Amino acid sequence: MSTKISCIIVDDEPTARDIIASHLSKIDTVDIVDICSDAIEAFNSINTQKIDLIFLDINMPEISGISFAKSINTNIKVIFTTAYREYAIDGFDLHAVDYLLKPISFERLLNAITNYFEVYHKPKATTIEKIHSNNFIFVRSERRMKKIDFPDIIYIESYSDYIKIHCTSGTIITRETISTIESKLPQQQFIRTHRSYIIAISKIDSFSNEEIVLHNKSIPISRNYKTEVLGRLESI
């Protein structure tokens, strides 16, 4: 499977198109194959080339983004964009990948692209690292997306329906699964030691066959992860 996706931008506002295009140009795994000013142009575009993802404005003249999304092949995924918050429910009813409220920041768009890759186009670890070339991720916490720098993470702890990301600057709670977070982290910097724990290798103070100590916290090494964990740590 190719790790690069083809996308088009559909928006009747030139400034909005330019902002999205500028953001996407910073992401190596996304290729912009067309930029359209209305749904008719977009329809012609998706019928002449393979498109994986559409950044689609909802409030457009003649044919709305919602109507256009209902008419296209469901294999083409949609990230809705709009200046009107009240359209969000309609967007999610169509199983959109995400819904971006204008003005769209790079960080928010990056999170939407990451969601797409996780669900529809699972890349290799190297591709994920390219997406996160700025050495950080965003997670949803307290009704907003919070930035977490990789060097700030000490360890990650999983509970039944949420995880705690323990950082040097404090603890962030999010409802993402530990496996989802693990897929976003650079493998050379982090290692999973237990079904409930991921640790930052650089933060380790000491380790034994049964546990790892970092920042005065003892993290267990489970039997299922022991061979991989000890092999990696003893080779450093």
Side-chain angles (χ1 to χ4, degrees):
M1 178 184 293
S2 171
T3 56
K4 195 161 189 174
I5 63 170
S6 297
C7 80
I8 63 172
I9 300 167
V10 188
D11 199 306
D12 62 318
E13 299 176 12
T15 300
R17 296 195 299 266
D18 291 345
I19 289 172
I20 295 172
S22 176
H23 289 339
L24 291 175
S25 70
K26 302 172 186 176
I27 304 175
D28 293 340
T29 49
V30 177
D31 185 21
I32 304 171
V33 297
D34 204 355
I35 298 177
C36 308
S37 60
D38 56 45
I40 296 174
E41 287 184 21
F43 184 79
N44 292 331
S45 182
I46 65 175
N47 280 286
T48 57
Q49 55 195 327
K50 182 182 181 299
I51 303 298
D52 299 303
L53 180 64
I54 301 176
F55 286 85
L56 181 59
D57 183 32
I58 290 179
N59 191 28
M60 293 189 296
E62 297 188 26
I63 302 174
S64 72
I66 295 291
S67 297
F68 178 69
K70 290 178 179 178
S71 71
I72 63 176
N73 191 311
T74 55
N75 289 329
I76 302 174
K77 303 308 174 184
V78 173
I79 294 176
F80 282 113
T81 66
T82 185
Y84 303 96
R85 189 180 299 275
E86 59 266 26
Y87 288 124
I89 295 176
D90 293 333
F92 284 120
D93 282 347
L94 287 170
H95 304 289
V97 175
D98 211 333
Y99 173 93
L100 303 181
L101 189 65
K102 300 176 182 177
I104 300 168
S105 68
F106 172 71
E107 291 81 6
R108 184 66 183 88
L109 181 141
L110 178 61
N111 187 263
I113 289 291
T114 302
N115 289 341
Y116 169 84
F117 271 94
E118 288 173 357
V119 178
Y120 301 107
H121 196 100
K122 196 71 173 180
K124 297 179 181 178
T126 52
T127 302
I128 296 174
E129 288 166 10
K130 285 182 180 179
I131 295 175
H132 298 293
S133 59
N134 288 323
N135 209 31
F136 60 82
I137 55 173
F138 283 85
V139 300
R140 186 176 298 279
S141 180
E142 299 177 344
R143 298 185 179 182
R144 64 181 60 213
M145 302 305 296
K146 292 190 175 182
K147 179 182 177 183
I148 303 177
D149 295 315
F150 292 145
D152 195 31
I153 299 174
I154 302 171
Y155 69 96
I156 299 168
E157 187 175 13
S158 175
Y159 291 83
S160 59
D161 59 350
Y162 64 94
I163 63 172
K164 288 184 177 181
I165 304 175
H166 299 273
C167 303
T168 56
S169 56
T171 299
I172 295 174
I173 298 174
T174 178
R175 291 197 176 276
E176 292 195 58
T177 66
I178 194 168
S179 295
T180 297
I181 288 293
E182 182 181 22
S183 72
K184 298 179 181 181
L185 300 173
Q187 293 183 349
Q188 72 274 20
Q189 297 180 39
F190 296 89
I191 189 167
R192 192 162 179 176
T193 67
H194 186 279
R195 67 179 183 179
S196 299
Y197 290 96
I198 297 171
I199 61 102
I201 296 173
S202 64
K203 301 296 193 300
I204 294 174
D205 295 320
S206 63
F207 68 91
S208 67
N209 289 343
E210 287 76 36
E211 66 176 9
I212 292 173
V213 177
L214 62 173
H215 284 240
N216 297 316
K217 171 71 175 179
S218 176
I219 304 294
I221 303 174
S222 72
R223 182 167 54 186
N224 291 339
Y225 290 89
K226 181 173 292 188
T227 299
E228 179 185 357
V229 170
L230 295 180
R232 282 190 61 186
L233 296 184
E234 290 172 357
S235 67
I236 295 176

